[in-house]
Amino acid sequence: MSAEIICVGTELLLGDILNSNAQYLAQQLAGLGIPHYYQTVVGDNPTRLKQVIEIASQRAEILIFTGGLGPTPDDLTCETIADFFGAPLVERPDIIEDITKKYVQRGRVMTASNRKQALIPQGAEVLPNPTGTAPGIIWQPRSGLTIFTFPGVPSEMYRMWEDTAVPFLKSQGWGKEIIYSRMLKFWGVAESALAEKVAPYLNLPNPTVAPYSSKGEVKLRVSAKAASQSQAQDLIAPIEKQIKDIAGLDYYGADNDTVASVVGELLRGAGETLSVAESCTGGGLGQMLTEISGSSDYFWGGIISYDNSVKVGLLGVNSQDLAKYGAVSSIVAEQMAAGVRSRLSTTWGLSITGIAGPTGGTETKPVGLVYVGLAGPNEQVQSFEYHFGAGRGRSLIRHLSACTALDNLRRKLLI
């Protein structure tokens, strides 16, 4: 038994909107222990939608449609499904009444086109929409096949799924097992290198382990299928511990953790404070830190020293060193870190200087060259050199620089 998610809308194919509905439904199905192996996006075209239904109905027992339930001519989901299965559309007076009432509450008059939303396949049940005007359906057009339709508006779909679809699925005996996952996160290690280290775990049947990589971060999703979340957690726990032991300091957190949030907790736990000096990241490092609620407990502020005069005037960088070694150098990174730590009187000072591109690189200092400076207690100052590569683009180089700077501090705090 499996489900398939079918998202209808030409705007999805054109990339005009992000398909967050598919992500939400995938997570919800996992929580119910209902496997799904395919997701399909199709435009507002009845012929192509029928082709999708033909294929999906042969490989899944639950078809979940989102989109195409509105009053406009291109909203064709319900009538196309009915036509595919040879069922007539019938107008439901209770839907007309519900839509009319909602329009009155909003101080508007229902137009004739809205009556289209009251047409559902004969034999289908109404899937109520508490917040919008477009209802969905729950329909079993043949034995072994259940169809759900939802509007494309995410907030409406979420409410309808939780209020009606989930109880219905559970009443049919689905959802007796759940799929629970832990997302383990790593920084400072390549996906291929980590996958090689944990290779024996990648073929486990339950729990399963799968690697992912995005923007310099590597993730291992550990998923278990069990009768309850606690049982799934019991299956995951020993595997998670073994992976953490193998990864060592490359492991930094799980699930909703970020490098910034983990660094923040370490600083808070130690009763220590941080200030930052940024050049090529232009405030991105400070933004990552201040996105964390309560970060004022440990983060005191920063200086964006984009121009060399700011490096000299506010951070105390030696002008002769700037002239000799350039702004993008280890010695300047160290002086920036030490300078901001001194100026703001914090336990730690963290700095970034580099060439984010796409211009500004030279043969000796190419785009993607970044130095991180770290100044700590007892006047300890050190720097780290990185080559992120010109092909990664300005935005990604800046992101990698900020996260890598935080990761250096994280490792220092754990030693």
Side-chain angles (χ1 to χ4, degrees):
M1 184 273 295
S2 66
E4 181 157 344
I5 299 168
I6 302 170
C7 299
V8 184
T10 303
E11 68 277 9
L12 295 171
L13 290 176
L14 294 174
D16 291 338
I17 63 171
L18 183 67
N19 190 4
S20 58
N21 285 347
Q23 180 186 36
Y24 171 84
L25 288 169
Q27 293 168 342
Q28 291 292 309
L29 289 170
L32 291 168
I34 299 175
H36 92 280
Y37 307 117
Y38 302 95
Q39 295 180 6
T40 303
V41 177
V42 60
D44 301 302
N45 180 284
T47 300
R48 287 189 282 274
L49 181 53
K50 287 179 182 178
Q51 292 171 347
V52 168
I53 298 170
E54 174 68 34
I55 295 170
S57 61
Q58 294 179 35
R59 64 189 182 191
E61 291 75 35
I62 303 172
L63 305 186
I64 304 172
F65 294 81
T66 68
L69 300 185
T72 61
D74 62 344
D75 291 313
L76 302 167
T77 298
C78 207
E79 60 189 87
T80 302
I81 294 171
D83 188 40
F84 179 85
F85 289 103
L89 289 170
V90 295
E91 187 176 88
R92 291 284 296 263
D94 53 327
I95 298 177
I96 295 288
E97 182 181 353
D98 180 67
I99 296 173
T100 303
K101 185 183 300 183
K102 287 173 179 173
Y103 267 86
V104 170
Q105 291 171 346
R106 298 169 188 176
R108 298 166 59 191
V109 178
M110 188 186 80
T111 62
S113 62
N114 285 103
R115 297 186 70 92
K116 177 184 179 183
Q117 295 174 303
L119 295 171
I120 69 171
Q122 190 173 55
E125 298 179 30
V126 175
L127 204 169
N129 184 342
T131 57
T133 59
I137 64 168
I138 302 175
W139 190 29
Q140 295 175 313
R142 68 181 187 218
S143 177
L145 180 66
T146 300
I147 290 175
F148 295 88
T149 66
F150 298 91
V153 179
S155 59
E156 295 180 21
M157 190 269 287
Y158 299 166
R159 177 77 181 274
M160 294 164 71
W161 173 263
E162 293 167 7
D163 287 359
T164 307
V166 170
F168 176 85
L169 288 167
K170 289 183 175 179
S171 74
Q172 299 298 303
W174 292 309
K176 291 183 177 179
E177 288 188 306
I178 63 100
I179 299 173
Y180 175 79
S181 298
R182 284 274 287 170
M183 190 68 79
L184 310 184
K185 298 182 176 181
F186 309 82
W187 195 273
V189 61
E191 180 183 8
S192 57
L194 182 62
E196 186 174 335
K197 289 181 179 180
V198 300
Y201 298 90
L202 300 181
N203 295 316
L204 294 176
N206 190 28
T208 60
V209 180
Y212 301 88
S213 179
S214 174
K215 291 187 174 182
E217 182 178 74
V218 180
K219 303 175 184 178
L220 291 177
R221 188 198 65 206
V222 186
S223 301
K225 190 170 186 178
S228 67
Q229 181 172 316
S230 62
Q231 291 181 21
Q233 288 172 326
D234 289 341
L235 290 171
I236 289 173
I239 303 300
E240 180 177 342
K241 182 181 184 305
Q242 292 165 33
I243 290 174
K244 288 180 183 178
D245 290 342
I246 292 170
L249 284 177
D250 290 336
Y251 168 81
Y252 80 80
D255 296 335
N256 295 323
D257 290 335
T258 65
V259 182
S261 70
V262 170
V263 165
E265 287 306 308
L266 290 171
L267 289 169
R268 182 183 281 114
E272 297 179 343
T273 55
L274 171 67
S275 57
V276 301
E278 303 182 60
S279 185
C280 69
T281 46
L285 178 55
Q287 181 183 10
M288 285 184 180
L289 288 161
T290 54
E291 280 178 347
I292 311 301
S293 178
S295 57
S296 59
D297 292 345
Y298 50 82
F299 179 59
W300 284 13
I303 296 173
I304 302 174
S305 54
Y306 217 62
D307 188 80
N308 286 345
S309 63
V310 181
K311 294 180 177 70
V312 174
L314 289 182
L315 295 173
V317 173
N318 187 294
S319 58
Q320 293 181 344
D321 289 335
L322 268 171
K324 183 176 180 180
Y325 300 104
V328 181
S329 61
S330 60
I331 191 168
V332 169
E334 291 173 5
Q335 291 178 22
M336 288 171 63
V340 77
R341 176 178 178 269
S342 174
R343 297 295 189 277
L344 275 68
S345 300
T346 53
T347 315
W348 298 93
L350 190 59
S351 70
I352 303 173
T353 179
I355 305 170
T359 60
T362 66
E363 187 174 343
T364 56
K365 293 187 178 182
V367 170
L369 173 65
V370 173
Y371 289 93
V372 171
L374 180 60
N378 304 318
E379 306 303 321
Q380 301 171 11
V381 185
Q382 59 188 133
S383 59
F384 310 87
E385 180 179 319
Y386 298 94
H387 293 264
F388 294 124
R392 283 175 153 167
R394 182 178 180 84
S395 178
L396 181 54
I397 289 172
R398 284 155 57 100
H399 174 81
L400 294 172
S401 300
C403 290
T404 301
L406 287 168
D407 187 60
N408 276 293
L409 176 56
R410 176 186 69 87
R411 292 170 186 262
K412 191 74 172 179
L413 291 167
L414 289 170
I415 294 175

